[in-house]
Amino acid sequence: MKDTIRLDKYLTEMGEGTRSQIKEMARKGRIAVNGITEKKSERKISPSSDTVAVDGRNVSYVEYEYYMLHKPQGVVSATEDRLHETVVDLITDRKRDDLFPVGRLDIDTEGLLLLTNDGDLTHRLLSPKKHVDKVYYAKIEGMLPEDAKDRMAEGLVLSDGTETLPADLEVLHRGDLSELSEIRLTIHEGKFHQVKRMFETLGCHVVYLKRLSMGMLVLDEALKPGEYRPLTHEELELLKKTNQE
């Protein structure tokens, strides 16, 4: 945790308002540090040892937050959007006001999504050089080629010429033209609309897509779409271990 931090930055990061709002709150005597009214919002305080209160309500400082979300369909993987609800909007009891999704899932895709404000961890998890495994479950419309597994394992060339890394396809149920196929796919990268585009290359159409895991982080089956919870200490350590491999 940071040794010292400006009072206005402390409160802004905890979602108590903008810096100008915090300055006005301090001017009106609404902020206290260690039980004493503080009217200088620019003063330095220690998050680990000082107690900060707004209107008599203690505001504790949290440097990083990590949430596992079961992203539902119809919600966008963004921090703000003028047309749709965002994944950040779903984290209603977050302490920090600077959370963001790690990567993205399409608006019609559901499943595991990590939200945090830890930029360093996010950068390493999303780095193309790391090839972090991502596992998806999907329902596929159209005839899945008999050699689909082999073609995925060799790596595909998408319609725009993009080459994908080899992927592991498991056919859970092979349908026909009147019945959907069900598959589990493990990819090692995260290109734009990648899973959907890979199956389009095989002449199929993804009608339902759900991310099950990212690295060693697995979606909690107890979480329904739209529900979330903080990562456990063990899960965070697994993420960091995945990140270092």
Side-chain angles (χ1 to χ4, degrees):
M1 185 176 290
K2 303 171 184 176
D3 293 332
T4 61
I5 186 175
R6 281 175 56 125
L7 178 59
D8 53 4
K9 182 174 175 60
Y10 177 113
L11 290 173
T12 297
E13 289 187 1
M14 292 303 100
E16 294 295 325
T18 63
R19 287 203 176 189
S20 59
Q21 290 172 331
I22 300 302
K23 184 176 182 179
E24 181 64 13
M25 291 163 62
R27 188 184 68 80
K28 293 181 176 180
R30 296 172 56 191
I31 300 174
V33 177
N34 299 326
I36 301 173
T37 299
E38 179 55 67
K39 294 193 174 184
K40 294 183 178 180
S41 61
E42 70 276 10
R43 71 160 283 187
K44 292 288 188 71
I45 61 170
S46 170
S48 61
S49 60
D50 289 327
T51 300
V52 178
V54 175
D55 296 331
R57 169 178 52 85
N58 283 348
V59 179
S60 57
Y61 186 80
V62 177
E63 188 168 11
Y64 294 115
E65 289 190 287
Y66 306 87
Y67 291 99
M68 175 191 294
L69 169 70
H70 185 162
K71 178 196 170 298
Q73 295 181 353
V75 177
V76 295
S77 299
T79 56
E80 56 183 335
D81 189 279
R82 288 185 290 181
L83 298 178
H84 302 94
E85 186 176 28
T86 73
V87 291
V88 174
D89 293 333
L90 298 178
I91 314 298
T92 56
D93 60 353
R94 63 187 186 274
K95 290 184 170 60
R96 296 194 61 96
D97 206 32
D98 57 355
L99 296 184
F100 49 82
V102 178
R104 67 186 302 276
L105 294 177
D106 295 339
I107 190 169
D108 59 351
T109 299
E110 68 174 68
L112 174 68
L113 191 64
L114 172 66
L115 290 99
T116 183
N117 63 310
D118 188 338
D120 185 51
L121 176 62
T122 298
H123 174 72
R124 296 196 305 270
L125 281 174
L126 298 180
S127 171
K129 297 179 181 179
K130 292 294 183 179
H131 303 314
V132 175
D133 288 357
K134 302 173 186 68
V135 180
Y136 292 85
Y137 165 81
K139 293 182 180 179
I140 309 298
E141 188 176 62
M143 287 297 295
L144 194 63
E146 290 294 333
D147 62 349
K149 182 177 176 67
D150 292 337
R151 290 171 66 181
M152 288 281 193
E154 293 173 358
L156 298 174
V157 178
L158 305 182
S159 59
D160 63 353
T162 299
E163 297 182 6
T164 69
L165 292 175
D168 180 24
L169 174 65
E170 179 183 358
V171 180
L172 305 175
H173 173 73
R174 185 179 292 277
D176 52 32
L177 290 177
S178 62
E179 186 182 18
L180 298 177
S181 295
E182 297 179 48
I183 63 89
R184 188 190 311 270
L185 179 69
T186 302
I187 62 176
H188 313 287
E189 53 192 336
K191 292 182 170 65
F192 184 66
H193 294 322
Q194 180 168 343
V195 174
K196 295 176 181 177
R197 294 166 68 199
M198 290 173 76
F199 281 101
E200 286 175 0
T201 301
L202 299 180
C204 301
H205 176 65
V206 175
V207 298
Y208 173 79
L209 186 60
K210 177 180 181 180
R211 184 157 67 188
L212 304 177
S213 65
M214 180 178 183
M216 294 186 182
L217 185 64
V218 179
L219 179 64
D220 187 337
E221 294 182 356
L223 292 177
K224 298 176 182 178
E227 294 183 340
Y228 66 92
R229 63 167 174 77
L231 290 193
T232 65
H233 174 74
E234 290 75 19
E235 287 169 336
L236 185 54
E237 290 303 308
L238 281 175
L239 261 189
K240 292 179 178 179
K241 180 179 179 181
T242 300
N243 194 255
Q244 293 170 353
E245 291 178 347

